[in-house]
Amino acid sequence: MPHKSPRELAETMLGCIDKGDWAGVLAITSPDYVVHEPPELPFGGDWKGQDALIRLFPHVWSYWDDVVVDRLGILTDENYFCLQLRMTMTSKLTGNRISTSLAETTRCVEGLMVEYTIHYHDCALVAREAGPPRPGAVKLEG
């Protein structure tokens, strides 16, 4: 059976996330997967392991209320997909409603996602509104 293209991987990942189908996400994720969040964010750094997204999503969401993610587009080539997004959310720390655009770039190898890098347009705003890292919040490695 042929490997999924980067576009097919992006569409599969988004569909699985929409349904809460984390087993479906794991099925298209490499065992040595890594997610790179900007280091200046309280949830920043490298999240490693096949289950990195499963651990990362609820941790990032724990800083915000009323998160809305608008999907603006998917750009692809033979080895990557890039999601163009806008996130709007309310800071649990300040109560401020903020919005920023993101580009999330995923490198794909042989039909699996292997590396995911997140770029926030206004990282300083996100860091300020998120506040300090939560005590006890750690990035467990797989």
Side-chain angles (χ1 to χ4, degrees):
M1 183 161 78
H3 296 304
K4 288 185 181 231
S5 71
R7 177 166 295 279
E8 291 168 326
L9 287 172
E11 291 169 352
T12 298
M13 180 190 76
L14 293 171
C16 288
I17 289 171
D18 286 347
K19 294 183 286 190
D21 177 10
W22 292 107
V25 173
L26 286 174
I28 59 170
T29 304
S30 169
D32 58 351
Y33 185 64
V34 61
V35 179
H36 306 287
E37 280 276 8
E40 59 269 33
L41 296 178
F43 41 83
D46 294 339
W47 293 69
K48 298 178 182 179
Q50 191 168 21
D51 66 344
L53 280 180
I54 296 169
R55 289 181 285 112
L56 176 63
F57 271 49
H59 184 70
V60 171
W61 277 195
S62 75
Y63 289 83
W64 315 105
D65 283 323
D66 306 315
V67 177
V68 175
V69 178
D70 295 312
R71 296 177 184 152
L72 306 176
I74 301 172
L75 307 171
T76 64
D77 71 7
E78 55 278 346
N79 299 306
Y80 289 88
F81 68 81
C82 180
L83 303 176
Q84 299 294 139
L85 308 169
R86 171 158 296 286
M87 268 180 77
T88 305
M89 58 256 182
T90 302
S91 168
K92 287 185 178 180
L93 177 70
T94 68
N96 292 332
R97 187 98 177 130
I98 65 168
S99 186
T100 188
S101 58
L102 294 88
E104 300 181 345
T105 305
T106 299
R107 184 168 61 92
C108 307
V109 176
E110 296 180 357
L112 294 175
M113 301 185 305
V114 298
E115 186 176 27
Y116 188 46
T117 305
I118 302 169
H119 308 275
Y120 293 81
H121 174 74
D122 195 342
C123 205
L125 172 68
V126 173
R128 185 174 62 250
E129 293 296 324
R134 298 251 161 65
V138 295
K139 298 179 287 294
L140 302 175
E141 296 188 9

